[in-house]
Amino acid sequence: MSLPYLTIGHLKAKLPIIQGGMGVGVSLSRLASAVAKEGAIGVISGVGIGFRESDFLNNSKEANIRALKKEISKAKESSSNGIIGVNILTASNEFEELVTTASNSGADLIICGAGLPTNLPALVKNKLTKLIPIVSSAKAASIISKLWKRKYNYTPDALIVEGPKAGGHLGFSKEDLSKGDKNLEDIVKEVIKVIKPFEDDAKKNIPIIAAGGIYSGKDISKFLKLGASGVQMGTRFVATEECDAHINFKNAYINSKKEDIDIVISPVGMPGRAIRNSFINSLDAGKKVIDKCYKCLTHCNPQTTPYCISKALINSVEGNVDEGLIFCGENAYKLKEIVPVKTLIKTLLMEAEEI
């Protein structure tokens, strides 16, 4: 099949693919711009984005804001003004400042997960930046849409529907994940149905983007046929030359086996999917690994948490993978080589068009 454009308000991507935002530092301007140049939507992760700034340890908020401005500017310039989004965690202590910075710096869209971004429309003053919540159920899609309509007379510009096979923090309980009775196909169909009245009321199209475990062009084709307008993919883009992570991080994906990929609990109590390594084994053995709090997440208490998630993610993205947290999607073990973004996109298109 020939893949359709992905239209989100005035934005029109030639390919219905959003590259997932991956932090800390896995998807910055280099990856996002390479993806955008190929006609898809590139996404910068705002999580701990200032970790390479000289004052990050003592002034993390200002470092993150400064770095986000730099990365958006570099991505827009390098992609010849391709479509660039920013992924910002709702659970971040710097949520409001990062959202304001992203919108003021020319981000085409803002994607928010790890909680429902209840006040997002109030933070974005321009009408060009599109606002996209991440949801994991039709109920969550309905709640955020009703709330935005009531408080701000605003309807989401799109919704990313993330299933249980995604990497990083997941919108499911550990019990739900162990049962295995939730699947992305059903959730996407339910969200499409529940969002239809909001589309009719607002007289606008609200694209539904499927995410979590989408690996191949065949998967893309399947979700488009189910009624999704596009897909979000993260894991495949880690194994690219342009991915901003250290080569050791990429090789951790390439060298992983299916049994290495496990569910872990983050310091804020949310389940997440990661590659099992010596760091996770030490946590399972009861070791406490925290010497500094970056105050990055709400509801994180350094007195009780076993480790600092910022430090763990920074370690891994800088190549110290044995002492870091390596978030990944369920299909990371399928990756066998590192390729240019252009080659990956071409492969996905060929696979989709064969279906």
Side-chain angles (χ1 to χ4, degrees):
M1 68 181 293
S2 179
L3 294 184
Y5 281 35
L6 172 57
T7 302
I8 304 174
H10 71 285
L11 302 172
K12 183 173 283 191
K14 292 180 181 179
L15 300 175
I17 300 171
I18 298 177
Q19 162 249 312
M22 298 170 284
V24 171
V26 179
S27 63
L28 298 174
S29 57
R30 186 164 183 253
L31 176 58
S33 62
V35 173
K37 280 175 73 172
E38 296 303 315
I41 296 177
V43 178
I44 295 165
S45 170
V47 180
I49 193 169
F51 72 102
R52 291 190 178 121
E53 296 289 305
S54 60
D55 58 344
F56 178 72
L57 288 178
N58 301 313
N59 202 12
S60 60
K61 180 182 287 188
E62 284 73 12
N64 287 332
I65 290 170
R66 190 185 318 118
L68 182 55
K69 289 178 183 177
K70 290 179 184 177
E71 293 297 325
I72 293 172
S73 177
K74 286 193 290 186
K76 295 296 285 187
E77 183 179 352
S78 300
S79 65
S80 302
N81 283 316
I83 301 176
I84 299 293
V86 176
N87 183 295
I88 300 172
L89 293 185
T90 306
S92 169
N93 273 322
E94 301 160 4
F95 175 73
E96 295 188 359
E97 292 89 346
L98 292 174
V99 167
T100 301
T101 299
S103 61
N104 290 345
S105 300
D108 294 302
L109 46 90
I110 293 175
I111 298 168
C112 296
L116 292 179
T118 56
N119 64 337
L120 182 58
L123 303 174
V124 179
K125 304 304 181 184
N126 71 72
K127 295 183 178 180
L128 296 178
T129 304
K130 301 307 172 189
L131 310 182
I132 306 177
I134 298 176
V135 298
S136 294
S137 68
K139 181 179 179 181
S142 179
I143 288 172
I144 195 65
S145 299
K146 285 178 180 176
L147 190 148
W148 282 12
K149 173 65 177 176
R150 187 182 78 248
K151 291 186 68 175
Y152 310 110
N153 194 31
Y154 196 100
T155 306
D157 295 299
L159 286 163
I160 293 175
V161 181
E162 193 168 84
K165 295 182 179 181
H169 287 119
L170 303 169
F172 301 87
S173 68
K174 194 169 184 180
E175 183 182 3
D176 284 338
L177 294 170
S178 62
K179 282 182 183 176
D181 58 353
K182 306 281 185 182
N183 71 76
L184 181 57
E185 292 87 343
D186 288 343
I187 301 170
V188 165
K189 288 187 284 187
E190 290 165 3
V191 171
I192 290 172
K193 184 177 180 180
V194 83
I195 287 299
K196 184 65 167 64
F198 295 97
E199 288 185 306
D200 294 341
D201 181 65
K203 294 181 173 57
K204 78 175 189 180
N205 179 50
I206 303 174
I208 304 302
I209 315 298
I214 295 170
Y215 185 84
S216 65
K218 181 179 179 181
D219 295 333
I220 297 171
S221 177
K222 175 176 69 174
F223 282 99
L224 293 177
K225 289 177 180 177
L226 280 177
S229 297
V231 300
Q232 178 178 275
M233 306 176 74
T235 293
R236 287 300 296 268
F237 286 102
V238 170
T240 62
E241 292 176 0
E242 295 89 343
C243 173
D244 294 273
H246 192 280
I247 186 63
N248 291 353
F249 186 95
K250 301 177 190 183
N251 283 334
Y253 276 53
I254 298 295
N255 297 328
S256 68
K257 301 180 179 63
K258 187 174 184 178
E259 56 270 24
D260 295 331
I261 298 170
D262 206 354
I263 301 297
V264 299
I265 301 298
S266 90
V268 291
M270 295 176 69
R273 181 171 280 107
I275 296 174
R276 179 164 284 279
N277 59 359
S278 56
F279 175 75
I280 293 176
N281 290 337
S282 69
L283 294 176
D284 287 348
K287 185 176 179 181
K288 187 177 173 71
V289 190
I290 182 166
D291 54 11
K292 178 178 173 57
C293 178
Y294 293 86
K295 297 181 173 62
C296 57
L297 297 175
T298 58
H299 311 302
C300 181
N301 183 351
Q303 302 302 317
T304 57
T305 184
Y307 69 99
C308 172
I309 194 167
S310 285
K311 181 61 175 174
L313 292 172
I314 291 169
N315 280 349
S316 61
V317 79
E318 291 190 324
N320 185 7
V321 293
D322 289 333
E323 297 181 36
L325 184 61
I326 311 168
F327 276 147
C328 70
E330 185 178 86
N331 291 316
Y333 71 94
K334 293 181 180 179
L335 294 165
K336 302 302 177 190
E337 61 178 338
I338 297 168
V339 299
V341 164
K342 182 182 281 291
T343 300
L344 171 58
I345 294 288
K346 188 179 293 185
T347 299
L348 293 172
L349 291 178
M350 287 176 59
E351 291 171 349
E353 289 167 0
E354 285 177 1
I355 302 302

